[in-house]
Short mmCIF file of all heavy atoms in Angstrom, two decimals:
data_model
loop_
_atom_site.label_atom_id
_atom_site.label_comp_id
_atom_site.label_asym_id
_atom_site.label_seq_id
_atom_site.Cartn_x
_atom_site.Cartn_y
_atom_site.Cartn_z
N ALA A 1 -12.71 7.26 73.58
CA ALA A 1 -12.27 6.93 74.94
C ALA A 1 -11.19 5.86 74.90
O ALA A 1 -10.22 5.92 75.66
CB ALA A 1 -13.46 6.47 75.78
N LYS A 2 -11.33 4.86 74.01
CA LYS A 2 -10.31 3.83 73.85
C LYS A 2 -8.99 4.46 73.39
O LYS A 2 -7.91 4.05 73.82
CB LYS A 2 -10.75 2.77 72.85
CG LYS A 2 -11.83 1.87 73.35
CD LYS A 2 -12.21 0.87 72.27
CE LYS A 2 -13.37 0.01 72.67
NZ LYS A 2 -13.74 -0.93 71.59
N LEU A 3 -9.09 5.44 72.51
CA LEU A 3 -7.90 6.12 72.03
C LEU A 3 -7.19 6.85 73.17
O LEU A 3 -5.97 6.80 73.28
CB LEU A 3 -8.27 7.10 70.91
CG LEU A 3 -7.13 7.89 70.29
CD1 LEU A 3 -6.13 6.95 69.63
CD2 LEU A 3 -7.68 8.88 69.28
N GLU A 4 -7.96 7.50 74.02
CA GLU A 4 -7.37 8.20 75.15
C GLU A 4 -6.70 7.23 76.13
O GLU A 4 -5.62 7.51 76.65
CB GLU A 4 -8.42 9.04 75.86
CG GLU A 4 -8.85 10.25 75.04
CD GLU A 4 -9.86 11.10 75.76
OE1 GLU A 4 -10.76 10.54 76.44
OE2 GLU A 4 -9.76 12.33 75.64
N VAL A 5 -7.33 6.08 76.36
CA VAL A 5 -6.73 5.07 77.24
C VAL A 5 -5.43 4.55 76.64
O VAL A 5 -4.43 4.39 77.34
CB VAL A 5 -7.73 3.92 77.50
CG1 VAL A 5 -7.05 2.74 78.17
CG2 VAL A 5 -8.90 4.41 78.34
N LEU A 6 -5.45 4.30 75.34
CA LEU A 6 -4.24 3.85 74.65
C LEU A 6 -3.12 4.88 74.80
O LEU A 6 -1.98 4.54 75.10
CB LEU A 6 -4.53 3.59 73.18
CG LEU A 6 -3.35 3.23 72.29
CD1 LEU A 6 -2.75 1.89 72.72
CD2 LEU A 6 -3.77 3.17 70.84
N ASP A 7 -3.46 6.13 74.60
CA ASP A 7 -2.47 7.20 74.74
C ASP A 7 -1.91 7.24 76.15
O ASP A 7 -0.69 7.29 76.34
CB ASP A 7 -3.11 8.54 74.38
CG ASP A 7 -2.13 9.69 74.45
OD1 ASP A 7 -0.98 9.52 73.98
OD2 ASP A 7 -2.50 10.75 74.97
N ASP A 8 -2.79 7.17 77.15
CA ASP A 8 -2.32 7.19 78.54
C ASP A 8 -1.45 6.00 78.88
O ASP A 8 -0.49 6.11 79.62
CB ASP A 8 -3.52 7.22 79.50
CG ASP A 8 -4.28 8.52 79.46
OD1 ASP A 8 -3.73 9.52 78.95
OD2 ASP A 8 -5.44 8.55 79.93
N ARG A 9 -1.78 4.85 78.31
CA ARG A 9 -1.11 3.61 78.67
C ARG A 9 0.21 3.40 77.96
O ARG A 9 1.16 2.88 78.53
CB ARG A 9 -2.05 2.44 78.37
CG ARG A 9 -1.67 1.15 79.02
CD ARG A 9 -2.79 0.13 78.94
NE ARG A 9 -3.34 -0.03 77.62
CZ ARG A 9 -2.85 -0.84 76.69
NH1 ARG A 9 -1.79 -1.56 76.94
NH2 ARG A 9 -3.41 -0.92 75.52
N LEU A 10 0.32 3.81 76.69
CA LEU A 10 1.50 3.45 75.91
C LEU A 10 2.33 4.62 75.38
O LEU A 10 3.50 4.44 75.09
CB LEU A 10 1.09 2.57 74.73
CG LEU A 10 0.56 1.18 75.08
CD1 LEU A 10 0.11 0.46 73.83
CD2 LEU A 10 1.62 0.38 75.79
N SER A 11 1.76 5.78 75.23
CA SER A 11 2.51 6.88 74.61
C SER A 11 3.78 7.24 75.37
O SER A 11 4.81 7.51 74.77
CB SER A 11 1.64 8.12 74.48
OG SER A 11 0.69 7.94 73.48
N TYR A 12 3.71 7.20 76.68
CA TYR A 12 4.90 7.58 77.45
C TYR A 12 6.05 6.61 77.17
O TYR A 12 7.21 7.01 77.15
CB TYR A 12 4.59 7.64 78.95
CG TYR A 12 4.55 6.29 79.62
CD1 TYR A 12 5.69 5.77 80.24
CD2 TYR A 12 3.40 5.51 79.62
CE1 TYR A 12 5.67 4.52 80.84
CE2 TYR A 12 3.37 4.28 80.22
CZ TYR A 12 4.50 3.79 80.83
OH TYR A 12 4.47 2.56 81.41
N ARG A 13 5.72 5.32 76.94
CA ARG A 13 6.78 4.34 76.66
C ARG A 13 7.42 4.62 75.30
O ARG A 13 8.63 4.50 75.15
CB ARG A 13 6.23 2.93 76.71
CG ARG A 13 5.89 2.53 78.11
CD ARG A 13 5.34 1.16 78.33
NE ARG A 13 5.28 0.22 77.25
CZ ARG A 13 4.50 -0.84 77.25
NH1 ARG A 13 3.68 -1.07 78.26
NH2 ARG A 13 4.49 -1.67 76.24
N VAL A 14 6.61 4.98 74.33
CA VAL A 14 7.15 5.25 73.00
C VAL A 14 7.95 6.54 73.01
O VAL A 14 9.04 6.61 72.45
CB VAL A 14 6.02 5.30 71.96
CG1 VAL A 14 6.53 5.73 70.60
CG2 VAL A 14 5.34 3.93 71.86
N ARG A 15 7.43 7.57 73.67
CA ARG A 15 8.16 8.84 73.76
C ARG A 15 9.47 8.67 74.51
O ARG A 15 10.50 9.18 74.10
CB ARG A 15 7.30 9.90 74.45
CG ARG A 15 6.21 10.41 73.59
CD ARG A 15 5.53 11.61 74.24
NE ARG A 15 4.26 11.84 73.61
CZ ARG A 15 3.08 11.71 74.21
NH1 ARG A 15 3.02 11.39 75.48
NH2 ARG A 15 1.96 11.93 73.55
N ARG A 16 9.41 7.94 75.62
CA ARG A 16 10.62 7.70 76.42
C ARG A 16 11.66 6.98 75.58
O ARG A 16 12.83 7.32 75.60
CB ARG A 16 10.26 6.86 77.65
CG ARG A 16 11.45 6.39 78.46
CD ARG A 16 11.03 5.46 79.58
NE ARG A 16 10.12 4.41 79.16
CZ ARG A 16 10.50 3.18 78.79
NH1 ARG A 16 11.76 2.86 78.80
NH2 ARG A 16 9.61 2.28 78.43
N SER A 17 11.22 6.00 74.82
CA SER A 17 12.15 5.23 73.99
C SER A 17 12.77 6.07 72.89
O SER A 17 13.91 5.88 72.53
CB SER A 17 11.42 4.04 73.37
OG SER A 17 11.00 3.15 74.37
N SER A 18 12.00 7.00 72.34
CA SER A 18 12.54 7.81 71.25
C SER A 18 13.59 8.79 71.75
O SER A 18 14.46 9.22 70.99
CB SER A 18 11.42 8.55 70.52
OG SER A 18 10.84 9.52 71.36
N GLN A 19 13.54 9.14 73.03
CA GLN A 19 14.54 10.05 73.59
C GLN A 19 15.80 9.31 73.99
O GLN A 19 16.87 9.88 74.06
CB GLN A 19 13.95 10.77 74.80
CG GLN A 19 12.83 11.70 74.44
CD GLN A 19 12.11 12.24 75.66
OE1 GLN A 19 12.39 11.85 76.78
NE2 GLN A 19 11.16 13.12 75.43
N ASN A 20 15.67 8.02 74.24
CA ASN A 20 16.81 7.20 74.65
C ASN A 20 17.30 6.44 73.42
O ASN A 20 16.76 5.43 73.05
CB ASN A 20 16.38 6.24 75.76
CG ASN A 20 17.52 5.39 76.26
OD1 ASN A 20 18.67 5.61 75.90
ND2 ASN A 20 17.19 4.41 77.07
N ARG A 21 18.35 6.89 72.79
CA ARG A 21 18.85 6.33 71.53
C ARG A 21 19.86 5.21 71.75
O ARG A 21 20.87 5.14 71.07
CB ARG A 21 19.47 7.43 70.68
CG ARG A 21 18.53 8.52 70.30
CD ARG A 21 17.70 8.08 69.15
NE ARG A 21 16.85 9.19 68.73
CZ ARG A 21 15.79 9.02 68.00
NH1 ARG A 21 15.44 7.84 67.59
NH2 ARG A 21 15.07 10.05 67.65
N SER A 22 19.60 4.34 72.69
CA SER A 22 20.50 3.24 72.97
C SER A 22 20.55 2.27 71.79
O SER A 22 19.55 2.03 71.13
CB SER A 22 20.03 2.50 74.22
OG SER A 22 20.82 1.36 74.43
N THR A 23 21.72 1.73 71.53
CA THR A 23 21.87 0.76 70.45
C THR A 23 22.04 -0.66 70.98
O THR A 23 22.34 -1.56 70.22
CB THR A 23 23.07 1.11 69.56
OG1 THR A 23 24.24 1.15 70.36
CG2 THR A 23 22.86 2.43 68.85
N GLU A 24 21.82 -0.84 72.27
CA GLU A 24 21.89 -2.18 72.85
C GLU A 24 20.75 -3.01 72.27
O GLU A 24 19.61 -2.56 72.20
CB GLU A 24 21.76 -2.12 74.36
CG GLU A 24 22.86 -1.36 75.05
CD GLU A 24 22.57 -1.20 76.53
OE1 GLU A 24 21.93 -2.09 77.12
OE2 GLU A 24 22.98 -0.18 77.09
N PRO A 25 21.04 -4.24 71.83
CA PRO A 25 19.99 -5.08 71.21
C PRO A 25 18.75 -5.26 72.09
O PRO A 25 17.63 -5.24 71.59
CB PRO A 25 20.70 -6.41 70.98
CG PRO A 25 22.15 -6.07 70.91
CD PRO A 25 22.33 -4.89 71.82
N GLU A 26 18.94 -5.40 73.39
CA GLU A 26 17.79 -5.60 74.28
C GLU A 26 16.90 -4.35 74.31
O GLU A 26 15.68 -4.45 74.30
CB GLU A 26 18.26 -5.92 75.70
CG GLU A 26 19.01 -7.23 75.82
CD GLU A 26 20.49 -7.10 75.45
OE1 GLU A 26 21.03 -5.97 75.42
OE2 GLU A 26 21.10 -8.15 75.16
N LYS A 27 17.53 -3.19 74.34
CA LYS A 27 16.78 -1.93 74.37
C LYS A 27 16.06 -1.70 73.04
O LYS A 27 14.93 -1.24 73.01
CB LYS A 27 17.70 -0.74 74.68
CG LYS A 27 18.32 -0.79 76.04
CD LYS A 27 17.29 -0.54 77.11
CE LYS A 27 17.96 -0.51 78.47
NZ LYS A 27 17.00 -0.33 79.54
N LEU A 28 16.74 -2.01 71.94
CA LEU A 28 16.11 -1.85 70.63
C LEU A 28 14.91 -2.78 70.50
O LEU A 28 13.85 -2.38 70.00
CB LEU A 28 17.12 -2.14 69.51
CG LEU A 28 18.21 -1.10 69.31
CD1 LEU A 28 19.23 -1.62 68.29
CD2 LEU A 28 17.64 0.22 68.87
N ASP A 29 15.05 -4.01 70.97
CA ASP A 29 13.96 -4.97 70.92
C ASP A 29 12.77 -4.48 71.75
O ASP A 29 11.62 -4.58 71.32
CB ASP A 29 14.44 -6.33 71.42
CG ASP A 29 13.42 -7.41 71.19
OD1 ASP A 29 12.88 -7.50 70.06
OD2 ASP A 29 13.15 -8.19 72.13
N GLU A 30 13.04 -3.93 72.91
CA GLU A 30 11.98 -3.40 73.77
C GLU A 30 11.26 -2.23 73.09
O GLU A 30 10.04 -2.15 73.11
CB GLU A 30 12.58 -2.95 75.10
CG GLU A 30 11.57 -2.39 76.08
CD GLU A 30 12.22 -1.91 77.36
OE1 GLU A 30 13.30 -2.40 77.72
OE2 GLU A 30 11.63 -1.03 77.99
N ARG A 31 12.03 -1.36 72.46
CA ARG A 31 11.43 -0.21 71.76
C ARG A 31 10.54 -0.67 70.61
O ARG A 31 9.44 -0.16 70.41
CB ARG A 31 12.52 0.71 71.23
CG ARG A 31 13.22 1.50 72.33
CD ARG A 31 14.43 2.25 71.87
NE ARG A 31 14.17 3.09 70.71
CZ ARG A 31 15.11 3.59 69.93
NH1 ARG A 31 16.37 3.32 70.18
NH2 ARG A 31 14.81 4.35 68.90
N VAL A 32 11.02 -1.66 69.86
CA VAL A 32 10.23 -2.19 68.73
C VAL A 32 8.94 -2.81 69.25
O VAL A 32 7.87 -2.61 68.67
CB VAL A 32 11.06 -3.20 67.91
CG1 VAL A 32 10.18 -3.95 66.93
CG2 VAL A 32 12.17 -2.47 67.17
#
């Protein structure tokens, strides 16, 4: 259940970041 909550809470941010290949330092820092 914790794994599912983690997926719901954070996966969209990681997936969204991987599709947006910005090289701006602020965006890269946010993705990291």
